[in-house]
Amino acid sequence: MKVAKFGGTSLASAAQIRKVCDIIRADAERRLVVVSAPGKRFKEDIKVTDLLIAYGEKYLADGQAEEIKQKIFQRYTEIAEELQLSREVTETLTADLQEILTAKNTADAARFIDAVKAAGEDTCAKLVAHYLRSLGEEAEYVNPLDAGLFVTDEAGNAQVLPESYERLRALRDRKGIVIFPGFFGYTKEGILVTFSRGGSDITGSILAAAVKADLYENFTDVDSVYAVNPNLVKHPKEIRVITYREMRELSYAGFTVFHEEALLPAYRAGIPVCVKNTNNPSAPGTMIVSEREASENRVSGIASDTGFCSIYVSKYLLHREIGFGRRLLQILEEEGLSYEHTPSGIDNISVILRKKDFTEAIRSRVVERIRRELQVDDVFIEDDLALVMIVGEGMRHSVGTSAKATAALAKAKVNLEMINQGSSEVSMMFGVKEVDADRAVIALYNEFFADQQQSRQAI
Ligand code: ASP
């Protein structure tokens, strides 16, 4: 049995939904299908989820959101009409949607927004199930509450509850094709909560783990995961096989093909994941697995992400002061901040944070507290930091990767603010100024992949 998840661009129009249904019908093992909400049809288009969020916020603010609501209805009715679904079907779909969008109980804004957001996936799943039935397939829409997908009560950031797996296993025994809306679950009290943005990948992974699928297929709009951002390098190398750990590191540093949180359920259950293209389903895609053949490629990919900053702290004899690190991190904990990395020297330590969490209001307080409570010699914040990562299981077994990398970065005149290599040796991380990030990525890609680019040979 395979679980197939289709992303927003795969469901953006009637033509795309036809492709999706062709793919589902081409393989009898594709019996559990997870869908996103209709995404962008063209570059300037707006995803249904974004329309829904805009609608929800406007509705809460002044109740005047009719115009946006009509746009949302139009997206679905256009698709339904083009797929030649009956008038009754279209009316039922829009009536359900209408009920969610005009809910009376809006006292809890975050819950209301979650319910509105999730309507994108929910309506889409119902629509796809209707269309498959109109083609003569046995297909049913299944609601996450009925199936038992239970999550924590954290609006917009739900986490699956462990007991869900046992309950969801029963989906295996359903006859025909199950169409399941991605992106949300329910609390034990029956309140709808969504995952973080892009969370339909997470739903797919949870279902694949629960039914112990042979494969979790993640259909998107690219032929494979690439070794570097294709907006930076033309025709980058396609990755054929990558490990969960490598994929996890690359997602962390900006690879958006697959949601960062989505790997965990599949990884724990040992379910291989295949990233494939709805617009080119015969392309082999990228397999994400637990082990890959040791090949000559020590590096799988180069990634970078911006939006970081670091708190630099120095104090003479810091390395001898018992509890210094704990007290430093405790200040961050008390200020509600999570940290990313803590590279350190003998008398200094830096704490890398996401800039978006580290607002102006908290900054001066944190600096002041560190200065006062830890009696440090110096403390300052460095902004506009990007993290550039080289990722590859093969680095563990080869020498000289960092020498090669730093030489390439020096040649590209990229100043290194920080170097960090985790003990797993799956990745090596360089902190650089944001303005240098793209240049750094291109330099590293050329260093590690340029010779393979000619042949476009896959990993
Ligand atoms: N539709 C949701 C979003 O845009 C979830 C998803 O597509 O996976 O974030």
Short mmCIF file of all heavy atoms in Angstrom, two decimals, residues 1-27:
data_model
loop_
_atom_site.label_atom_id
_atom_site.label_comp_id
_atom_site.label_asym_id
_atom_site.label_seq_id
_atom_site.Cartn_x
_atom_site.Cartn_y
_atom_site.Cartn_z
N MET A 1 0.83 -1.20 0.00
CA MET A 1 0.00 0.00 0.00
C MET A 1 0.87 1.26 0.00
O MET A 1 1.86 1.34 0.71
CB MET A 1 -0.85 -0.01 1.27
CG MET A 1 -1.75 1.17 1.42
SD MET A 1 -2.77 0.94 2.88
CE MET A 1 -4.03 2.15 2.63
N LYS A 2 0.48 2.22 -0.83
CA LYS A 2 1.24 3.48 -0.89
C LYS A 2 0.37 4.63 -0.41
O LYS A 2 -0.83 4.65 -0.67
CB LYS A 2 1.65 3.79 -2.33
CG LYS A 2 2.66 2.82 -2.90
CD LYS A 2 2.96 3.16 -4.35
CE LYS A 2 3.89 2.13 -4.96
NZ LYS A 2 3.94 2.20 -6.41
N VAL A 3 1.00 5.56 0.29
CA VAL A 3 0.31 6.81 0.61
C VAL A 3 0.84 7.85 -0.37
O VAL A 3 2.05 8.00 -0.52
CB VAL A 3 0.60 7.24 2.07
CG1 VAL A 3 0.07 8.65 2.33
CG2 VAL A 3 -0.01 6.25 3.05
N ALA A 4 -0.09 8.52 -1.06
CA ALA A 4 0.34 9.55 -2.01
C ALA A 4 -0.19 10.90 -1.54
O ALA A 4 -1.38 11.05 -1.27
CB ALA A 4 -0.19 9.24 -3.40
N LYS A 5 0.72 11.87 -1.43
CA LYS A 5 0.29 13.22 -1.03
C LYS A 5 0.53 14.16 -2.22
O LYS A 5 1.57 14.10 -2.87
CB LYS A 5 1.09 13.67 0.19
CG LYS A 5 0.74 15.06 0.67
CD LYS A 5 1.75 16.09 0.25
CE LYS A 5 1.22 17.51 0.37
NZ LYS A 5 2.22 18.52 -0.04
N PHE A 6 -0.47 14.99 -2.49
CA PHE A 6 -0.36 15.94 -3.60
C PHE A 6 -0.36 17.37 -3.05
O PHE A 6 -1.23 17.74 -2.27
CB PHE A 6 -1.50 15.74 -4.59
CG PHE A 6 -1.42 14.42 -5.31
CD1 PHE A 6 -2.01 13.28 -4.77
CD2 PHE A 6 -0.69 14.30 -6.49
CE1 PHE A 6 -1.91 12.05 -5.40
CE2 PHE A 6 -0.58 13.07 -7.13
CZ PHE A 6 -1.19 11.94 -6.60
N GLY A 7 0.61 18.16 -3.49
CA GLY A 7 0.75 19.53 -3.01
C GLY A 7 -0.16 20.50 -3.75
O GLY A 7 -0.85 20.12 -4.71
N GLY A 8 -0.12 21.76 -3.33
CA GLY A 8 -1.04 22.77 -3.84
C GLY A 8 -1.02 22.98 -5.35
O GLY A 8 -2.08 23.10 -5.97
N THR A 9 0.18 23.01 -5.94
CA THR A 9 0.21 23.26 -7.39
C THR A 9 -0.37 22.07 -8.15
O THR A 9 -0.88 22.23 -9.26
CB THR A 9 1.65 23.53 -7.89
OG1 THR A 9 2.49 22.48 -7.43
CG2 THR A 9 2.18 24.86 -7.41
N SER A 10 -0.34 20.88 -7.55
CA SER A 10 -0.91 19.69 -8.20
C SER A 10 -2.44 19.75 -8.21
O SER A 10 -3.08 18.97 -8.91
CB SER A 10 -0.49 18.42 -7.45
OG SER A 10 0.91 18.34 -7.36
N LEU A 11 -3.00 20.65 -7.39
CA LEU A 11 -4.46 20.70 -7.28
C LEU A 11 -5.00 22.09 -7.61
O LEU A 11 -6.14 22.43 -7.30
CB LEU A 11 -4.86 20.33 -5.83
CG LEU A 11 -4.43 18.92 -5.45
CD1 LEU A 11 -4.00 18.86 -4.00
CD2 LEU A 11 -5.54 17.93 -5.72
N ALA A 12 -4.17 22.88 -8.28
CA ALA A 12 -4.51 24.29 -8.47
C ALA A 12 -5.64 24.52 -9.46
O ALA A 12 -6.29 25.55 -9.44
CB ALA A 12 -3.26 25.06 -8.90
N SER A 13 -5.87 23.57 -10.36
CA SER A 13 -6.90 23.77 -11.39
C SER A 13 -7.51 22.42 -11.75
O SER A 13 -7.00 21.36 -11.35
CB SER A 13 -6.25 24.36 -12.64
OG SER A 13 -5.34 23.41 -13.17
N ALA A 14 -8.57 22.46 -12.56
CA ALA A 14 -9.20 21.21 -12.98
C ALA A 14 -8.20 20.35 -13.77
O ALA A 14 -8.14 19.13 -13.60
CB ALA A 14 -10.43 21.52 -13.83
N ALA A 15 -7.41 21.01 -14.61
CA ALA A 15 -6.44 20.25 -15.43
C ALA A 15 -5.45 19.53 -14.53
O ALA A 15 -5.10 18.36 -14.77
CB ALA A 15 -5.70 21.20 -16.36
N GLN A 16 -5.01 20.20 -13.47
CA GLN A 16 -4.06 19.57 -12.55
C GLN A 16 -4.73 18.42 -11.80
O GLN A 16 -4.13 17.36 -11.61
CB GLN A 16 -3.51 20.61 -11.55
CG GLN A 16 -2.54 21.60 -12.14
CD GLN A 16 -1.30 20.94 -12.72
OE1 GLN A 16 -1.26 20.57 -13.89
NE2 GLN A 16 -0.28 20.76 -11.90
N ILE A 17 -5.99 18.62 -11.40
CA ILE A 17 -6.67 17.56 -10.66
C ILE A 17 -6.88 16.33 -11.56
O ILE A 17 -6.80 15.19 -11.09
CB ILE A 17 -8.00 18.08 -10.06
CG1 ILE A 17 -7.67 19.10 -8.96
CG2 ILE A 17 -8.88 16.95 -9.52
CD1 ILE A 17 -8.83 19.73 -8.26
N ARG A 18 -7.06 16.56 -12.84
CA ARG A 18 -7.15 15.41 -13.76
C ARG A 18 -5.85 14.62 -13.74
O ARG A 18 -5.85 13.39 -13.69
CB ARG A 18 -7.45 15.87 -15.18
CG ARG A 18 -8.89 16.17 -15.38
CD ARG A 18 -9.30 16.14 -16.86
NE ARG A 18 -10.57 16.82 -16.96
CZ ARG A 18 -10.71 18.11 -17.27
NH1 ARG A 18 -9.66 18.84 -17.58
NH2 ARG A 18 -11.90 18.66 -17.29
N LYS A 19 -4.72 15.35 -13.75
CA LYS A 19 -3.41 14.66 -13.71
C LYS A 19 -3.29 13.85 -12.42
O LYS A 19 -2.83 12.70 -12.43
CB LYS A 19 -2.26 15.68 -13.74
CG LYS A 19 -2.04 16.36 -15.07
CD LYS A 19 -0.79 17.24 -14.95
CE LYS A 19 -0.75 18.26 -16.08
NZ LYS A 19 0.26 19.30 -15.85
N VAL A 20 -3.71 14.47 -11.32
CA VAL A 20 -3.63 13.80 -10.01
C VAL A 20 -4.43 12.50 -10.06
O VAL A 20 -3.96 11.43 -9.64
CB VAL A 20 -4.16 14.74 -8.89
CG1 VAL A 20 -4.45 13.98 -7.62
CG2 VAL A 20 -3.16 15.86 -8.64
N CYS A 21 -5.63 12.58 -10.60
CA CYS A 21 -6.50 11.39 -10.62
C CYS A 21 -5.96 10.33 -11.57
O CYS A 21 -6.09 9.13 -11.31
CB CYS A 21 -7.94 11.79 -10.92
SG CYS A 21 -8.62 12.73 -9.53
N ASP A 22 -5.31 10.76 -12.65
CA ASP A 22 -4.66 9.79 -13.55
C ASP A 22 -3.57 9.04 -12.78
O ASP A 22 -3.42 7.82 -12.92
CB ASP A 22 -4.02 10.48 -14.76
CG ASP A 22 -5.06 10.94 -15.76
OD1 ASP A 22 -6.23 10.50 -15.66
OD2 ASP A 22 -4.72 11.77 -16.64
N ILE A 23 -2.82 9.80 -12.00
CA ILE A 23 -1.71 9.18 -11.23
C ILE A 23 -2.28 8.19 -10.22
O ILE A 23 -1.80 7.06 -10.08
CB ILE A 23 -0.86 10.27 -10.53
CG1 ILE A 23 -0.10 11.08 -11.57
CG2 ILE A 23 0.11 9.65 -9.53
CD1 ILE A 23 0.58 12.34 -11.04
N ILE A 24 -3.34 8.59 -9.53
CA ILE A 24 -3.94 7.71 -8.52
C ILE A 24 -4.43 6.42 -9.19
O ILE A 24 -4.19 5.31 -8.71
CB ILE A 24 -5.13 8.40 -7.81
CG1 ILE A 24 -4.66 9.64 -7.05
CG2 ILE A 24 -5.85 7.44 -6.87
CD1 ILE A 24 -5.79 10.52 -6.52
N ARG A 25 -5.07 6.58 -10.34
CA ARG A 25 -5.68 5.42 -11.00
C ARG A 25 -4.65 4.52 -11.69
O ARG A 25 -4.94 3.37 -12.00
CB ARG A 25 -6.71 5.89 -12.03
CG ARG A 25 -7.82 6.70 -11.38
CD ARG A 25 -8.72 7.30 -12.41
NE ARG A 25 -9.75 6.39 -12.86
CZ ARG A 25 -10.43 6.54 -13.98
NH1 ARG A 25 -10.16 7.54 -14.80
NH2 ARG A 25 -11.36 5.68 -14.31
N ALA A 26 -3.45 5.06 -11.89
CA ALA A 26 -2.43 4.28 -12.60
C ALA A 26 -1.81 3.20 -11.72
O ALA A 26 -1.09 2.33 -12.20
CB ALA A 26 -1.34 5.22 -13.12
N ASP A 27 -2.04 3.27 -10.40
CA ASP A 27 -1.40 2.30 -9.51
C ASP A 27 -2.40 1.89 -8.42
O ASP A 27 -2.77 2.72 -7.58
CB ASP A 27 -0.15 2.95 -8.89
CG ASP A 27 0.68 1.97 -8.07
OD1 ASP A 27 0.13 0.91 -7.67
OD2 ASP A 27 1.86 2.27 -7.84
#
